[in-house]
Amino acid sequence: MPHSPFPTPGFIELSLSLRADQQESVEAALEDVGALAVTLLDADADTSNEQAILEPGVGETPLWSQIVLTALFEADTDRSGLLLVLAELLPDLDPAQITFREVADQDWTRVWMDQFKPMQFGRRLWVYPWNIEPPQSADNVFIRLDPGLAFGTGTHPTTALCLEWLDRMDLAGKFIIDYGCGSGILAIAAALLGASQVQGVDNDPQAIESSLSNAMRNGVAERISLHLPGAEDPAPVDLLVANILAGPLHTLAPVFAARLKPGGRMALSGILHGQHVELLERYAEWFDDLVVSQRDDWVRIEGIRAGNREWRVGNS
């Protein structure tokens, strides 16, 4: 994902479309040959609206079947060498699908700013890019994000569903875990909405870096602890939010059940409509009052930790 500041005054940007199952190997190869930043966008997004910026799950591939990948390189990078690398990785790729353009230093930041506008979630929660000053308001809560570091900005329906859930929860003085924290947007929202302690967990060190930077920008770093999976404090929490994917959500069900206090609330997203049926059956073993909400093709499941059931952490 993007980092700033960059070391040179100008850049070239490579862009191509690919399948989700190609993303990991292509991104790794581009980084090996010197990519300064790799950005993933939903190829099927309505170009008349903001495109959804990738918020990856824990150890998972992207949420979309088709991706537009852009990679930023220093201005003197050998373009023919980059094309040779991609030809080896994707021999069936039409070279005409790969495009280059020159990008001025200030233009790269502007691309992100143009995609990232203030957005409202629920009654009082807003997400603002760091360069736009929010209005003074006693009734609203503002998250400030750096688009150059954010894995997720709220544009994707799964993130929006989780932000809206947090907005209507009573978080004052609560202990919360954000599993698969990405940019830290959900952890930061929880802290700004009154949580006294928030854990962010992600298996990507870049996500931890992004979350820390954004937490510091929002003045809540002292209430947010960030961890790789298994390194976090195992103490029971009051609320849990996990915006990952259906596969890991199924696997992690007993772990989440053990982390939540009886009566604690959870919200799960990153779930395509249809996948929720199996997850409802899975989580019914530990959770009551399971409710499904849908946005476009995506689903949020919320529920309450049952107080009279065995904590079977060893289940899989």
Side-chain angles (χ1 to χ4, degrees):
M1 300 302 291
H3 290 273
S4 62
F6 293 114
T8 58
F11 312 95
I12 59 171
E13 183 184 77
L14 174 152
S15 179
L16 74 157
S17 297
L18 67 160
R19 301 188 311 272
D21 60 0
Q22 299 170 308
Q23 173 261 331
E24 185 175 357
S25 60
V26 174
E27 183 175 350
L30 289 171
E31 291 177 348
D32 286 344
V33 296
L36 301 170
V38 176
T39 302
L40 308 177
L41 299 173
D42 182 2
D44 296 325
D46 182 354
T47 56
S48 66
N49 296 310
E50 297 176 54
Q51 285 185 297
I53 303 169
L54 175 63
E55 182 160 8
V58 177
E60 292 299 314
T61 54
L63 300 172
W64 315 303
S65 58
Q66 288 293 130
I67 300 165
V68 175
L69 181 149
T70 61
L72 200 70
F73 294 88
E74 294 183 5
D76 58 355
T77 301
D78 180 8
R79 301 186 188 193
S80 61
L82 295 178
L83 290 174
L84 287 173
V85 170
L86 289 175
E88 291 180 3
L89 282 170
L90 302 170
D92 58 342
L93 183 68
D94 182 356
Q97 296 182 25
I98 303 173
T99 61
F100 291 95
R101 73 180 183 99
E102 295 182 358
V103 181
D105 196 356
Q106 64 271 23
D107 289 344
W108 177 251
T109 301
R110 177 52 49 196
V111 168
W112 281 90
M113 297 308 176
D114 287 345
Q115 293 183 45
F116 187 18
K117 308 295 184 183
M119 294 169 286
Q120 183 176 12
F121 301 93
R123 181 181 61 84
R124 54 189 171 146
L125 187 61
W126 286 81
V127 176
Y128 266 67
W130 67 268
N131 66 317
I132 299 180
E133 190 69 27
Q136 296 294 321
S137 173
D139 299 323
N140 294 321
V141 172
F142 300 99
I143 305 173
R144 307 289 297 278
L145 289 185
D146 177 358
L149 283 176
F151 281 68
T153 61
T155 59
H156 197 276
T158 61
T159 311
L161 285 165
C162 291
L163 287 170
E164 291 168 0
W165 179 79
L166 287 170
D167 179 72
R168 63 179 171 81
M169 292 292 108
D170 177 10
L171 303 185
K174 299 296 176 58
F175 183 10
I176 300 171
I177 185 168
D178 171 13
Y179 208 96
C181 56
S183 68
I185 185 172
L186 301 181
I188 293 165
L192 291 173
L193 289 166
S196 60
Q197 184 178 355
V198 184
Q199 285 184 358
V201 178
D202 203 292
N203 72 345
D204 189 334
Q206 176 60 42
I208 300 298
E209 178 184 336
S210 176
S211 294
L212 177 59
S213 175
N214 284 318
M216 293 174 65
R217 186 181 299 280
N218 285 273
V220 293
E222 75 282 355
R223 283 186 283 145
I224 297 177
S225 60
L226 298 163
H227 311 274
L228 295 171
E232 71 274 18
D233 180 355
V237 300
D238 300 297
L239 294 96
L240 180 148
V241 60
N243 184 22
I244 47 180
L245 297 178
L249 287 175
H250 187 280
T251 301
L252 289 165
V255 176
F256 290 171
R259 288 302 311 273
L260 272 166
K261 299 175 182 177
R265 295 180 177 272
M266 68 155 189
L268 313 174
S269 197
I271 306 162
L272 283 166
H273 186 263
Q275 295 176 331
H276 67 287
V277 176
E278 183 177 353
L279 286 172
L280 287 171
E281 295 176 355
R282 172 71 160 158
Y283 277 80
E285 182 173 352
W286 300 278
F287 291 86
D288 293 328
D289 300 329
L290 292 169
V291 176
V292 173
S293 301
Q294 185 172 348
R295 175 80 48 87
D296 298 333
D297 294 328
W298 300 94
V299 164
R300 178 189 69 216
I301 296 175
E302 56 187 284
I304 299 174
R305 178 67 171 92
N308 59 348
R309 304 196 193 165
E310 183 183 355
W311 290 27
R312 298 163 62 184
V313 183
N315 282 11
S316 60

